[in-house]
Amino acid sequence: FNPYELQLSAGAINLGKSINELNIWHSTGATIVAVQQGDQLLISPGPYTKLEAGNTIYFLATNYRSV
């Protein structure tokens, strides 16, 4: 599988929440495999990683649909 990527804009909903709080896998079936925060790439980010504007998330999903 090739990961999908999504850059979070300042208008994205739920900014400042952790991966765990957003319950991403249960809600979408997507698995976040990395988060780019500025020049730092977090591989296999933990559940307490917070998503902020400007982050790029990399994820795997069998049926990607915009959420």
Side-chain angles (χ1 to χ4, degrees), residues 20-56:
N20 185 53
E21 288 176 291
L22 294 172
N23 209 14
I24 291 174
W25 185 81
H26 288 84
S27 299
T28 67
T31 300
I32 296 178
V33 295
V35 177
Q36 180 82 43
Q37 296 178 329
D39 55 357
Q40 183 179 17
L41 181 64
L42 305 172
I43 304 292
S44 190
Y48 303 109
T49 301
K50 292 192 180 225
L51 302 178
E52 303 293 345
N55 288 173
T56 300

Side-chain angles (χ1 to χ4, degrees), residues 9-24:
S9 68
I13 60 172
N14 296 316
L15 293 176
K17 292 188 178 178
S18 69
I19 292 170
N20 185 53
E21 288 176 291
L22 294 172
N23 209 14
I24 291 174

